[in-house]
Amino acid sequence: MFTQLVPMSEGSVGGIGVVLPPLYEIFWSALVLLVILLVVGLYALPRIYSMIDQRRDAIQEGLDNAEKAREDLSLASRKKDELLRDAQAEAHQIREDARAQAQQIVAQARLDAQVEAQRVQDAAQRQILAERQAAQISLRSDVGLLASELAEKLVGEHLENTDLTARVVDRFLDELEAEEVPIGGVN
């Protein structure tokens, strides 16, 4: 059925010789392969290994840096939380100090107001006392004049002895003070 397409020539080998190349081709192929292996082994593989080592070192350094960055981030987060807690505590303390100062200021203002009120009251008391004494002196002199005029009218003569008139007026006023007649006139 099938016919052979390639005619066999004289001196051709049949059987296993078709699969196996000639010996000289195996020798030269092995020699070329050995040279390629030597060139690759001596020049290319060290460069490839050094590039792989550099790459591995770079990857390891990147991983180490990433781990360090993760630790730094964690440390920074803890510091931030600690600073935030400290700031909140400090703010709380400042608020408490401000409240205490406000209470002190209010207490001091109350005390100052009480002192000022007492001072004003004392000044008013002194003013009232001074005005009372001035009124008493004025009243005493007015009452003295009225009493001397009354005495002159009763006696019918003009009292020329001023010492005697002053003694009579003082005695009259002392008797009035001893009776302590309230102003308004009702006992």
Side-chain angles (χ1 to χ4, degrees), residues 10-187:
E10 289 177 27
S12 71
V13 179
I16 193 113
V18 174
V19 179
L20 233 93
L23 193 57
Y24 67 90
E25 280 185 17
I26 292 176
F27 173 75
W28 286 112
S29 295
L31 185 64
V32 168
L33 183 63
L34 185 62
V35 169
I36 290 174
L37 284 176
L38 280 175
V39 168
V40 168
L42 290 177
Y43 296 107
L45 282 180
R47 286 186 182 174
I48 291 172
Y49 287 148
S50 72
M51 285 177 24
I52 289 174
D53 289 343
Q54 288 174 355
R55 186 75 171 197
R56 185 187 68 232
D57 292 344
I59 290 171
Q60 186 61 41
E61 184 178 340
L63 290 173
D64 292 344
N65 288 340
E67 182 63 30
K68 186 174 188 253
R70 193 175 307 122
E71 289 173 2
D72 290 346
L73 179 64
S74 175
L75 179 65
S77 176
R78 284 193 304 268
K79 278 189 176 181
K80 177 194 71 141
D81 291 342
E82 182 179 324
L83 288 174
L84 184 60
R85 279 192 306 273
D86 290 346
Q88 288 172 345
E90 185 177 343
H92 178 72
Q93 184 63 37
I94 288 171
R95 282 191 301 269
E96 291 301 318
D97 290 346
R99 282 189 192 119
Q101 285 178 350
Q103 289 174 349
Q104 287 177 344
I105 289 170
V106 167
Q108 184 64 38
R110 283 183 183 153
L111 181 64
D112 291 347
Q114 288 173 348
V115 167
E116 182 65 20
Q118 186 63 40
R119 187 189 65 77
V120 167
Q121 187 178 10
D122 290 345
Q125 292 274 342
R126 285 191 299 273
Q127 181 69 26
I128 290 170
L129 184 60
E131 287 176 5
R132 181 177 176 207
Q133 288 175 348
Q136 282 179 345
I137 291 170
S138 173
L139 186 60
R140 199 175 262 263
S141 66
D142 289 345
V143 168
L145 287 174
L146 287 172
S148 64
E149 286 176 13
L150 181 61
E152 286 177 1
K153 286 183 183 181
L154 288 175
V155 174
E157 289 185 22
H158 180 65
L159 300 174
E160 292 184 14
N161 188 350
T162 57
D163 289 333
L164 179 63
T165 305
R167 280 193 311 241
V168 170
V169 169
D170 285 339
R171 188 172 41 111
F172 177 70
L173 290 175
D174 288 339
E175 288 175 6
L176 281 178
E177 285 178 7
E179 289 180 14
E180 294 185 29
V181 176
I183 300 175
V186 180
N187 269 345

